[in-house]
Amino acid sequence: GYTALFLNLKRPVFADREVRQALALATDREALVKEGLQGWGTPGNSPILPTSWAYAAQPWPNDPAKAKQLLDGAGWTPGADGVRQKNGQQLAFQLLTDSDPARNAVANLLAAQYGAIGAKVTVVVRSPEEVTQLVATRNYESALSGWEGLASDPDPYQGWHSGQAETGYNFADWSNQQADQ
């Protein structure tokens, strides 16, 4: 199986590349597996699973201090309540997940990790069916979701190609011409 964090790139809070990079740096993948999944998993650092012949490890360091520096440099400053803001917009968003206890634990850990860099994250739990519908229709801010029974073909086209944005399996609506090639 595979669980991923999707950031809906159509939402203004994720428009800044630095916000997305800071969230990646604030994510302690080892802690998510150790604490959230009770050790039952492998930290992800690629859209291709580590068991695949096509897997190539990619470094994703956990560096909250650098995450804060990125946000500072991009103009996201802490407000009186500790939540970062820029141009009157708070760095605040909902994290949608389903009622699976493991995903719920991981979502709450992510909220705490992001809170440590000044983001206000509210975990919203819905049924698996509701999460599937909300993610498929892009009616979410961020979502922790996944699937089981992956195909053996490691081609990430369906989940990452811009041609799959808006109506396909590219649920974050990510578009990058170099990645498409």
Side-chain angles (χ1 to χ4, degrees), residues 15 17 19-20 22 32 41 44 55 102 109-110 115 143-146 149 178:
R17 180 180 179 150
V19 167
R20 300 187 308 269
L32 296 178
Y55 175 76
L109 284 169
L110 284 170
L144 187 66
S145 186
Q178 184 180 1

Side-chain angles (χ1 to χ4, degrees), residues 6-77:
F6 298 99
L7 306 175
N8 187 336
L9 300 181
K10 302 283 186 191
R11 303 296 176 154
V13 72
F14 300 122
D16 279 353
R17 180 180 179 150
E18 290 83 1
V19 167
R20 300 187 308 269
Q21 290 173 333
L23 294 174
L25 286 165
T27 304
D28 183 344
R29 290 163 179 77
E30 296 287 337
L32 296 178
V33 170
K34 183 179 178 184
E35 298 169 34
L37 301 177
Q38 305 299 307
W40 290 93
T42 303
N45 62 7
S46 166
I48 297 174
L49 295 177
T51 55
S52 171
W53 62 267
Y55 175 76
Q58 300 175 26
W60 287 100
N62 173 232
D63 193 342
K66 186 172 181 179
K68 290 177 182 179
Q69 289 175 342
L70 267 175
L71 292 171
D72 288 340
W76 289 91
T77 57

Side-chain angles (χ1 to χ4, degrees), residues 80-128:
D81 58 359
V83 178
R84 290 181 179 268
Q85 54 191 340
K86 180 179 179 179
N87 300 327
Q89 177 186 13
Q90 281 195 319
L91 182 53
F93 56 94
Q94 292 183 344
L95 174 52
L96 175 68
T97 192
D98 63 38
S99 52
D100 176 77
R103 281 204 186 109
N104 206 310
V106 170
N108 283 294
L109 284 169
L110 284 170
Q113 291 174 4
Y114 298 158
I117 64 166
K120 180 181 177 183
V121 181
T122 304
V123 176
V124 176
V125 179
R126 298 285 185 259
S127 71

